[in-house]
Amino acid sequence: MNKIDKRLHFLLGKVKEECKKVKELSDYELKNKTLEFKERLHNGETTDDLLPEAFAVCCEADYRVLGMFPYDVQILGGIALHLCYLCEMNTGEGKTLTATMPLYLNGLTGKSSILVTANEYLAIRDAEEMGQVYKFLGLSVEAGVKRDTNEKLDNDSKKDVYAADIVYTTHGSLGFDYLLNNLVQSKEDRFMRDFYYVIIDEADSVLLDSASMPLVISGSPRVQSNLYGITDFFVTTLVEDVHYEIEDKKVWLTKEGVEYVQRYFRIENLYGEENYDILRHVVLALRAHFLLEKDTDYVVTDKGEVVLLDKSTGRKMTGMKLRGGSHQAIEEKEHVELSDEQRSVASITYQNLFNLFPKMSGMSGTIKDGKDELLEVYHKQVVVIPPNKPLARIDLPDQYFKTSEEQFDAVIKETVKRHETGQPVLLIASLISDTEMLSKLLVQENIEHSVLNANNAFWEAEIIKEAGQKNVVTVATSMAGRGTDIRLGPGVKELGGLCVLGVGRMNNTRDERQARGRAGRQGEPGVSMFYVSLEDDVCEILGDDFMEKYIEKDKYISKRRIKKLVNKSQKIKEESSVFQRKNSVDYDSVMQRQKTIMYKTRNDLLDGMSLDENVLKQIYVNNINEFAKDHKKMDDKTMYRYILDNLAYRLKELSVSSANKKDYLKQYADMAFKDKKQVLGNRFSEYCRLCTLKALDDGWIEEVDYLQQLQAAISGRSTAQRNLLYEYQREARLSFRDMEKSIKKAMIRNILLGEVSFGKDNEMIILYP
């Protein structure tokens, strides 16, 4: 037994001792423990000190309210979650009940304790069911999502949600709420408390599979570029391996390709700053044509809209768009009307979001396989919690086939055979197109079945619950109904339990273990088997030319060879995903550093930080020095233009000579500053703060948008054998410096040119220049 396990089992013993004591308490005495614990925390004890007693109280409350007393392994899991480990607990081991103990303990602190889960259904279900326990013990609980995903919570509702002791929500909602909370215009509009403790359900799905796709809030549309049409036509004239190369889901221009672009657009240097827009649009068009496939990555609806597809679930991601012009490049390729290219206002990845929590833990049935990456990226250790009862599921050897036709034929035969005995069958495919094909084949066999494509978590959960009943056949994607228990119906145990048949090698071994884990929960019987072929989606990574020579009609290929090729494909795919996620962390850490500085400054301003007038004066002096440096031979016209654009709307003649124009501008700025201060009197400090906040927001929005586009455009530089991350960091550093200058210019413009009026309650209303 290692050091961690010893500590967990030592604390388990302590909890069990306390459980005997609290059993004797009345309901009133049990509830009163919450006030006692809060008082002890207030007097200097820590949550670690309280753990044995608080866990025992929660266990007893679980039993009295829900009729379920946590097993020893659930208490072990709860202890590991409180100690901020990532826990692997088998499917069906009761992770929902396990979470009640650490959530109750951390909820006693009065700081935010949050559980994030995979979908709205689970968040609402768990908040309602487990919420009864917390309310019995005197803590408040809220769900941060609505049943109808189109129904949004307003600011006041969000304040109530995040003020609760315990919050159940989804990772997407939490991420977007964090970004929106940092975009509010006044401190009264902020609805979130500081982050403290979080438990991530299905942690491998969130921290690994969803990690490289950032959450982005889009704002007003930018002026539509006219380069989409030209570059779209241009890339159709390119020749593969002459002008561009494709490898490992990346596309880039060759040396000949770069020269061709320069000739075509009549430019000297494609990578020069002045040609940034052309480079960006060429890269976007290359990706749209050669990396993104219709009906695999996106679909075009009857209304002529491009809608993205989630490759892991196969569902349509309505309302989501690719960033930085990629979506418009696909629309141009498909010859549909171009949607507005939105400006990115705020962005964060899940890696950075969850690293903001001082205490972060998580649980999943399949997290052990990603332990090395989780340790490297999140500095988190994975603990495997043993099952309550030994696993009785039989995992049969994988079946290997040359073509998908043979593969589907075999899986349907197996389904028919088992269905005839009454044994329930769950068919799990990695692609939505495969679930549709399986459904057609089952119809031909006159077998009634349900198809779940992860489109609606609420009704899918109801259907998947029934997948363990006699004679039931269910077809699902790997994500459909995740987190919902499948209970066996009467007489099913005798038939061998639920049979899970996996169709196609999945992108990683975790998804396959998740699929197998649907059968054999809590020591029940069950069986699982995977059907794999060389035409599985995962094998695409080996390249069409390579695979064609194996799939030729008459050519014999051994099962051993197929197994080797398919496993090799999956390994490459997993390694590629790990590399992509690490890359995403490296790129996003650049923005995260900038974001930390900007959000800190912004929060200080919202909280009423006053600006030193001498500092403001120094800023406008520096602005004028910069301007004078750029206009060494400044004439009167240029000087007056600067005054009208930056210092005052009306020109006043000063009694000083305009021979030294720089000094003249400084004196003009002094006069304008003094006039503004005189007009506003004791509200001048508040006015300067609001003007600065506006300048800060405008500058930061431009920076976020630029960095999003830069990441896409900079990939075109790989032909020059440069270090792309270094290039990105260098450009980002320069753009941050430029942003600081533009914010300082905008601050002074806002202060000197802003027009003030006062609304009801003497509220300041500013019309900015």
Side-chain angles (χ1 to χ4, degrees), residues 7 55 175 303 322 384 510 512 535:
R7 188 180 179 196
F55 268 45
K303 293 178 183 174
L322 291 171
V384 178
R510 285 181 292 102
E512 288 175 13
E535 291 186 309

Side-chain angles (χ1 to χ4, degrees), residues 6 21 85 88 116 172 192 196 204 247 257 280 289 453 465 473 491 618 644 679 725 759:
K6 276 182 184 170
K21 297 176 192 172
Y85 293 112
E88 172 159 307
V116 294
M192 266 187 160
Y196 173 61
D204 56 337
E247 189 184 311
R280 182 169 84 90
H289 276 269
N453 288 333
K465 275 182 191 172
V473 175
Q618 191 55 54
L644 291 169
V679 169
L725 181 62

Side-chain angles (χ1 to χ4, degrees), residues 44 60 74 145 167 206 328 350 459 552 555 637 696 728:
E60 188 60 31
Q74 289 174 313
V145 288
V167 176
V206 178
Q328 288 68 27
Y350 287 125
W459 63 259
E552 284 169 16
K555 190 168 180 181
K637 188 182 171 186
L696 195 82
Y728 179 74

Side-chain angles (χ1 to χ4, degrees), residues 13 26 148 178 299 375 383 496 498-499 512 548 586 593 610 613 637 660 664 680 695 749 751:
S26 68
D148 179 359
Y178 168 74
V299 290
L375 186 61
V383 172
L498 176 67
C499 171
E512 288 175 13
E548 262 171 34
D586 291 338
R593 282 196 294 272
S610 60
E613 283 181 27
K637 188 182 171 186
N660 185 337
Y664 187 86
L680 288 162
R749 284 186 76 238
I751 291 168

Side-chain angles (χ1 to χ4, degrees), residues 218-224 339-343:
S218 298
S220 57
R222 71 162 70 83
V223 178
Q224 193 67 280
S339 58
D340 283 334
E341 191 183 338
Q342 299 289 313
R343 196 181 289 278

Side-chain angles (χ1 to χ4, degrees), residues 38-94:
K38 285 185 174 181
E39 187 67 30
R40 283 164 62 184
L41 283 169
H42 182 70
N43 291 334
E45 285 190 58
T46 67
T47 49
D48 288 359
D49 298 332
L50 293 180
L51 188 148
E53 291 170 76
F55 268 45
V57 165
C58 191
C59 287
E60 188 60 31
D62 284 336
Y63 178 67
R64 293 188 193 184
V65 177
L66 303 172
M68 297 186 282
F69 196 93
Y71 301 124
D72 285 6
V73 290
Q74 289 174 313
I75 298 171
L76 267 183
I79 295 166
L81 289 172
H82 170 72
L83 298 174
C84 296
Y85 293 112
L86 297 172
C87 299
E88 172 159 307
M89 293 178 75
N90 281 355
T91 304
E93 288 295 315

Side-chain angles (χ1 to χ4, degrees), residues 210-273:
S210 304
S212 52
M213 178 67 95
L215 299 166
V216 179
I217 289 181
S218 298
S220 57
R222 71 162 70 83
V223 178
Q224 193 67 280
S225 165
N226 62 356
L227 286 169
Y228 289 111
I230 304 164
T231 50
D232 182 78
F233 174 76
F234 168 73
V235 299
T236 61
T237 68
L238 300 177
V239 179
E240 189 172 357
D241 295 332
V242 176
H243 298 122
Y244 68 92
E245 286 178 20
I246 301 174
E247 189 184 311
D248 194 19
K249 279 288 180 188
K250 290 192 178 80
V251 60
W252 63 84
L253 294 166
T254 61
K255 191 180 173 209
E256 290 82 357
V258 173
E259 287 166 2
Y260 180 31
V261 176
Q262 288 170 177
R263 285 199 307 277
Y264 190 93
F265 289 96
R266 296 177 185 178
I267 55 176
E268 291 288 317
N269 175 16
L270 177 60
Y271 297 113
E273 200 176 320

Side-chain angles (χ1 to χ4, degrees), residues 416-564:
V416 170
K417 189 177 96 180
R418 290 182 181 270
H419 180 62
E420 282 170 354
T421 69
Q423 185 177 15
V425 180
L426 174 62
L427 295 156
I428 295 185
S430 52
L431 295 177
I432 199 165
S433 52
D434 289 349
T435 62
E436 288 165 356
M437 176 56 75
L438 289 165
S439 179
K440 280 180 192 167
L441 295 169
L442 288 169
V443 168
Q444 287 171 17
E445 297 290 338
N446 291 320
I447 293 177
E448 271 189 44
H449 60 282
S450 304
V451 183
L452 310 183
N453 288 333
N455 281 323
N456 185 317
F458 288 89
W459 63 259
E460 281 176 5
E462 295 306 315
I463 291 171
I464 208 96
K465 275 182 191 172
E466 304 304 312
Q469 303 301 312
K470 221 171 182 177
N471 293 309
V472 169
V473 175
T474 313
V475 181
T477 55
S478 56
M479 285 298 284
R482 195 168 176 177
T484 310
D485 270 349
I486 299 174
R487 297 180 188 276
L488 299 185
V492 171
K493 277 186 187 177
E494 293 73 17
L495 295 168
L498 176 67
C499 171
V500 171
L501 300 178
V503 184
R505 178 63 87 232
M506 296 190 175
N507 285 338
N508 56 61
T509 50
R510 285 181 292 102
D511 284 352
E512 288 175 13
R513 286 180 63 212
Q514 184 77 34
R516 291 184 195 276
R518 292 304 184 88
R521 58 181 292 284
Q522 284 288 345
E524 289 173 342
V527 65
S528 77
M529 179 161 49
F530 266 80
Y531 292 77
V532 181
S533 87
L534 285 179
E535 291 186 309
D536 287 347
D537 190 51
V538 76
C539 294
E540 276 184 6
I541 208 155
L542 296 175
D544 293 343
D545 296 343
F546 181 81
M547 295 310 293
E548 262 171 34
K549 62 185 180 194
Y550 288 105
I551 303 175
E552 284 169 16
K553 255 192 172 161
D554 305 323
K555 190 168 180 181
Y556 170 76
I557 176 168
S558 69
K559 299 276 191 247
R560 193 159 160 264
R561 184 72 180 133
I562 295 173
K563 181 179 178 179
K564 207 171 173 184

